Amino acid sequence: MNSGSVTTPFGRRPMTLGMFSSQVVSRQIEPDKSVDKWKLYRALCEARSRLGISDRALAVMNALLSFYPKNELSEENGLVVFPSNVQLSLRAHGMAEQTIRRHLAVLVGAGLLIRKDSPNGKRYARKDRTGSVEDAFGFSLAPLLARSEEIETLAAQVVADRLHLQRLRERLTLCRRDISKLVETALEEDLSGDWDAVVAYQKGIVGALTRNPGTAELEGALEEMEQLREDVVNQLENLLDSQKTSGNAHQSERHIQNSNPDSISELEPGFETKLGATTESDNERSAKTEGQQRITIQRARGQPISELKSFPLGLVLQACPQISDYAAGGAIGNWRDLMAAAVTVRSMLGVSPSAYQEACEIMGPENAATVIACILERGGHINSAGGYLRDLTRRSERGEFALGPMLMALYRGNGNGGRRALLG
């Protein structure tokens, strides 16, 4: 500033601590400091959201800068401009004077301008005999010069945040495309898997986003989407491995059938076992191999591995009424509605897509959705829904889990003990 004293506003305008702070900062400008006013204005436009000013306020600032005679802001050239409101209105594309006064107050409040009012509140300059400006009353641009580094830093941060947000959107779009294409391929090739659940979960992630999601929201959605893509890729890789294994087993079977029928080593491989091995252990090994082959075939065909008994949908809804709150429209009319609601609940409970997909493969999609509904009902008694579901899946694969007792306990717990359930 040209003067080292503090200036106060004219008339009824109050003096605030923010105005005083702006003047103190403006007195700390380095002697030879200068900055291009239009370069600084562009940075101001980028950082306006961080500074709390609107585009209309920026239009007024643009008009004020146009009255500064030099391109370089510096104390040597003076930092006070003194146009009238009429002149400002002309250079602000006809903005009303009342609107101009309001936005000038915003710029002063944001610490970007200082009012240097004359004794009568008018804006003018006093010149000496040589025509040089001796003193001026109007608006000081000193805060802009003093805060130029801060404004440029804020502008750089805004640009970096915008680029980061754009990259998050791009990654999310690519991830959605990858999942859609992979699921489409799986459906065209008739590969086993609950692909409808994958599509429903993907739609749930996208549907949960707000109209203009921020960085944190996009990062969370991207993390879920990338995990879903990884699960889909892993499932497809497992199916390919299963197909290769099935193909090799088929080739080996043809080779054995076409071999010499008198070969003892091929017809009676049990003779190669170690001394002391019993016939019973051979039978157990054979049963285990047959069980593994059965599981592989059922996986390839998309059939449930365990033989869990299915229950009527009406009984499931009576035993687990809370699941209906997560269905589209708040009602479940068929098994597809229940399975779609189970996908939503699975995400809410923190169960990973891979754990639920494995449960669908082992138990069948209807029974897996029923188990999710039961877990929801017993949510207050289960610490880790994902770990609990994996444990039930393992037990179901070994034939050690029955859905009926769990379902009937919930059925009776909801006050339905006096009614007879038809489980057929």
Side-chain angles (χ1 to χ4, degrees):
M1 294 178 66
N2 294 338
S3 175
S5 63
V6 174
T7 178
T8 57
F10 170 78
R12 297 182 178 179
R13 297 192 190 101
M15 180 66 178
T16 66
L17 190 60
M19 294 179 184
F20 180 77
S21 176
S22 297
Q23 295 183 40
V24 172
V25 171
S26 299
R27 290 206 302 269
Q28 300 173 356
I29 300 175
E30 298 176 3
D32 298 330
K33 184 177 182 179
S34 64
V35 64
D36 186 294
K37 65 179 181 179
W38 296 121
K39 180 181 178 181
L40 183 59
Y41 176 73
R42 287 192 293 271
L44 197 63
C45 291
E46 290 283 3
R48 69 182 181 89
S49 60
R50 301 289 183 92
L51 296 169
I53 55 177
S54 65
D55 53 347
R56 303 296 297 278
L58 285 173
V60 175
M61 177 64 80
N62 181 77
L64 282 173
L65 289 173
S66 69
F67 285 101
Y68 190 77
K70 304 290 185 178
N71 279 334
E72 295 288 328
L73 286 177
S74 66
E75 285 192 307
E76 182 182 356
N77 299 323
L79 292 170
V80 178
V81 291
F82 40 88
S84 66
N85 285 342
V86 175
Q87 292 173 318
L88 275 176
S89 176
L90 291 175
R91 296 203 186 183
H93 307 290
M95 187 182 296
E97 291 186 27
Q98 183 178 2
T99 305
I100 287 177
R101 285 194 292 269
R102 185 170 68 253
H103 290 301
L104 284 171
V106 170
L107 292 171
V108 172
L112 300 174
L113 290 178
I114 294 176
R115 291 184 186 273
K116 188 182 179 187
D117 290 343
S118 65
N120 62 1
K122 301 295 184 180
R123 301 172 199 157
Y124 60 87
R126 184 182 295 114
K127 299 182 180 180
D128 57 19
R129 292 181 180 181
T130 62
S132 300
V133 175
E134 188 177 49
D135 201 2
F137 299 96
F139 293 100
S140 173
L141 302 174
L144 282 180
L145 182 59
R147 299 177 61 185
S148 59
E149 292 87 355
E150 176 194 353
I151 293 171
E152 290 172 352
T153 299
L154 289 175
Q157 291 176 354
V158 170
V159 171
D161 291 344
R162 185 168 62 242
L163 290 175
H164 180 56
L165 191 66
Q166 180 181 351
R167 286 169 183 153
L168 285 176
R169 291 179 179 275
E170 290 174 351
R171 289 174 59 189
L172 186 61
T173 299
L174 291 174
C175 200
R176 289 178 60 189
R177 186 183 70 188
D178 292 343
I179 294 172
S180 299
K181 295 288 186 180
L182 290 173
V183 170
E184 182 180 349
T185 301
L187 292 174
E188 289 179 354
E189 297 293 335
D190 196 23
L191 300 178
S192 63
D194 193 358
W195 306 115
D196 290 338
V198 174
V199 173
Y201 184 61
Q202 182 187 26
K203 290 181 178 179
I205 296 174
V206 177
L209 294 174
T210 58
R211 185 177 183 86
N212 293 308
T215 301
E217 190 176 357
L218 283 176
E219 286 176 345
L222 180 61
E223 183 179 358
E224 286 192 79
M225 197 74 77
E226 287 180 340
Q227 180 62 49
L228 179 61
R229 179 175 61 183
E230 183 180 352
D231 292 339
V232 171
V233 170
N234 290 338
Q235 184 175 356
L236 290 177
E237 289 178 351
N238 291 335
L239 290 173
L240 287 177
D241 292 341
S242 298
Q243 289 180 353
K244 290 179 181 179
T245 303
S246 300
N248 291 337
H250 184 60
Q251 292 173 0
S252 299
E253 183 179 359
R254 288 202 310 268
H255 175 71
I256 292 173
Q257 290 175 349
N258 294 332
S259 299
N260 183 4
D262 296 330
S263 174
I264 297 178
S265 62
E266 291 180 353
L267 291 178
E268 297 181 298
F271 285 99
E272 296 178 1
T273 59
K274 292 183 179 180
L275 185 63
T278 63
T279 305
E280 183 178 1
S281 63
D282 293 338
N283 294 336
E284 290 175 351
R285 187 181 302 106
S286 177
K288 183 177 180 181
T289 303
E290 291 178 0
Q292 291 175 345
Q293 291 176 351
R294 176 180 61 83
I295 290 175
T296 302
I297 294 173
Q298 288 175 320
R299 284 185 186 273
R301 293 177 178 177
Q303 298 174 347
I305 294 174
S306 67
E307 297 179 356
L308 283 182
K309 181 179 180 180
S310 298
F311 295 87
L313 179 61
L315 174 64
V316 174
L317 296 179
Q318 289 179 12
C320 310
Q322 293 185 40
I323 192 72
S324 298
D325 297 336
Y326 300 90
I332 294 177
N334 51 50
W335 281 106
R336 181 175 292 273
D337 293 342
L338 178 65
M339 288 186 285
V343 172
T344 303
V345 172
R346 176 207 59 78
S347 177
M348 183 194 70
L349 294 176
V351 178
S352 66
S354 60
Y356 184 63
Q357 176 62 35
E358 188 177 14
C360 290
E361 291 178 359
I362 302 297
M363 304 178 183
E366 293 86 359
N367 287 331
T370 302
V371 170
I372 289 292
C374 293
I375 294 176
L376 176 64
E377 288 292 321
R378 300 182 58 193
H381 305 283
I382 299 174
N383 294 328
S384 174
Y388 186 66
L389 179 62
R390 287 189 184 276
D391 179 65
L392 294 182
T393 303
R394 297 279 77 79
R395 291 168 56 192
S396 178
E397 187 175 17
R398 296 192 301 265
E400 299 173 357
F401 170 66
L403 184 56
M406 175 189 289
L407 200 61
M408 292 309 299
L410 292 172
Y411 181 85
R412 289 189 295 269
N414 287 325
N416 300 311
R419 300 175 58 185
R420 179 173 178 174
L422 299 177
L423 305 181

